[in-house]
Amino acid sequence: MTVSDSTVTAPTPPRAGVIGVGAMGENHARVYSELRGVELAGVSDLDEDLARCVATEYGTTSRPMDELLDDADLVSVAVPTEAHYETVRRCLDAGVHVLVEKPITAGPEQGRELETLARERGLLLQVGHVERFNPAVRTAASLIADLDVIAVDAKRLGPPVDRSISDRVTLDLMIHDVDVIQSLLDDEPSAIAATGTADGQHATATLEFDDVVATVTASRVSQRKVRRLTVTASDCLVEIDYLDQTVLLYRDSFPEYVSDEAGGNRYRHESVIERPEVQNREPLRAELESFVSAATAGSAPEVTAEDGLRALETVREIDRRVAEKDGLEVRAR
């Protein structure tokens, strides 16, 4: 029996690009360069020296954006927020799948235009709400799904940063927790109250959902870095630490008075603390793996444009409430 020769062509790996290689964009380039089955096609930035430096570091080339789009199947967009709309639109017009860092755009109307364009072109538009991919959040989500949630409290605090950030603290930091909360509750707030201080560097919002109240605080003027979310349920409390990637479950709390050796009474409060197993890994790596997988398979992204718009609209309303307190105006875009 004669077996004829045949040639099996290996599938071409998806080619990824990064547009905007500042602090966040460089991390995207790093992860793409490390992902198995993905080729880093190049990076692009208005700062050509920076782009060349990052390209050299991760074994790729720096290119003008239009040239990169001609050669890439998918891209991460990590430019400043005010440039999201124009940059993402150019990517979609070029037929390239896009992951855009949060927020999706500076204003909801721009985001809706991009969502419509991506849908019409049959392209993926994923929004980079990276905390959705934090292993602690994923573990807690599986627990919270079966709980009678009463309240949520989120704190995202840190000291002043040594780089220029044009986004307000709400759009830069608070939006992470707003997205996580809306995802966990699968709902949008029916009422919002908010206030700010420290020239817009510290803000607190209260979000009312059906039978659930959420308090969210974000700060760039705290002298301690905190990334924590606490969920209070009718029979337990779940505490998520984003930084340590840990989840603690408090239940069966027993307050009581006990007698000491001297015959006096003292108060004691004990509870059972469970520590569910969390498979620690880098959230950005999980996010980009998910994006590449969805783009390759033609499936829906885990964080859709609609998700990004929902978070943005809530934060814009928070900004309006803060502005009312300070007599400022928040422009819609």
Side-chain angles (χ1 to χ4, degrees), residues 116-136:
T116 299
L117 180 60
R119 186 173 63 252
E120 291 174 348
R121 298 289 173 86
L123 296 169
L124 255 69
L125 176 54
Q126 179 168 327
V127 185
H129 285 286
V130 70
E131 294 290 22
R132 292 270 204 107
F133 298 86
N134 190 306

Side-chain angles (χ1 to χ4, degrees), residues 8-24:
V8 178
T9 303
T12 303
R15 293 175 59 78
V18 180
I19 301 172
V21 287
M24 195 66 208

Side-chain angles (χ1 to χ4, degrees), residues 16-318:
V18 180
I19 301 172
V21 287
M24 195 66 208
E26 181 179 354
N27 280 317
H28 281 249
R30 170 182 58 80
V31 173
Y32 281 132
S33 73
E34 296 169 349
L35 289 184
R36 181 176 299 177
V38 176
E39 181 180 348
L40 180 57
V43 300
S44 182
D45 197 285
L46 292 178
D47 185 333
E48 295 180 359
D49 290 337
L50 175 62
R52 281 193 292 269
C53 181
V54 171
T56 299
E57 177 70 19
Y58 300 110
T60 189
T61 59
S62 62
R63 307 183 180 191
M65 184 168 69
D66 288 339
E67 182 181 318
L68 177 59
L69 293 176
D70 284 340
D71 197 33
D73 303 303
L74 54 96
V75 294
S76 286
V77 171
V79 298
T81 299
E82 57 269 22
H84 280 191
Y85 172 76
E86 185 60 35
T87 305
V88 173
R89 187 174 186 92
R90 287 173 66 181
C91 296
L92 295 174
D93 283 339
V96 177
H97 302 293
V98 180
L99 185 153
V100 58
E101 272 298 335
K102 60 79 195 164
I104 180 171
T105 45
E109 289 302 321
Q110 294 177 335
R112 291 189 193 98
E113 286 185 33
L114 296 180
E115 189 276 332
T116 299
L117 180 60
R119 186 173 63 252
E120 291 174 348
R121 298 289 173 86
L123 296 169
L124 255 69
L125 176 54
Q126 179 168 327
V127 185
H129 285 286
V130 70
E131 294 290 22
R132 292 270 204 107
F133 298 86
N134 190 306
V137 172
R138 288 181 176 268
T139 299
S142 65
L143 300 172
I144 293 168
D146 298 322
L147 298 179
D148 177 21
V149 177
I150 297 170
V152 182
D153 181 69
K155 289 183 171 57
R156 188 167 294 263
L157 318 174
V161 296
D162 59 357
R163 57 189 173 90
S164 175
I165 300 177
S166 59
D167 288 342
R168 301 173 300 281
V169 72
T170 50
L171 207 57
D172 177 38
L173 297 180
M174 186 179 286
I175 195 170
H176 280 295
D177 296 306
V178 166
D179 173 69
V180 168
I181 291 169
Q182 293 185 158
S183 173
L184 291 175
L185 299 179
D186 192 22
D187 198 4
E188 299 176 37
S190 57
I192 296 174
T195 188
T197 187
D199 195 27
Q201 299 299 299
H202 185 106
T204 297
T206 301
L207 315 178
E208 295 182 22
F209 300 85
D210 282 345
D211 301 320
V212 178
V213 61
T215 304
V216 191
T217 300
S219 178
R220 292 197 193 111
V221 292
S222 169
Q223 293 307 309
R224 180 185 172 213
K225 188 172 183 178
V226 176
R227 301 286 188 270
R228 187 167 296 160
L229 187 140
T230 303
V231 178
T232 301
S234 57
D235 60 349
C236 67
L237 182 144
V238 182
E239 185 177 82
I240 304 166
D241 191 311
Y242 294 99
L243 297 176
D244 294 341
Q245 294 188 6
T246 58
V247 177
L248 296 179
L249 184 65
Y250 297 80
R251 65 168 82 244
D252 297 327
S253 181
F254 299 107
E256 62 178 340
Y257 286 93
V258 296
S259 299
D260 56 28
E261 295 180 357
N265 291 325
R266 61 184 176 84
Y267 180 77
R268 182 174 66 186
H269 198 120
E270 294 184 350
S271 61
V272 176
I273 303 175
E274 302 174 16
R275 186 186 291 267
E277 183 179 0
V278 177
Q279 298 294 330
N280 299 87
R281 66 180 310 212
E282 183 183 11
L284 180 60
R285 182 179 297 273
E287 179 183 54
L288 295 188
E289 285 178 346
S290 174
F291 172 52
V292 171
S293 176
T296 303
S299 57
E302 289 195 53
V303 184
T304 64
E306 292 88 343
D307 293 331
L309 280 166
R310 186 166 66 164
L312 176 60
E313 287 170 344
T314 298
V315 167
R316 292 287 293 180
E317 183 61 25
I318 289 170

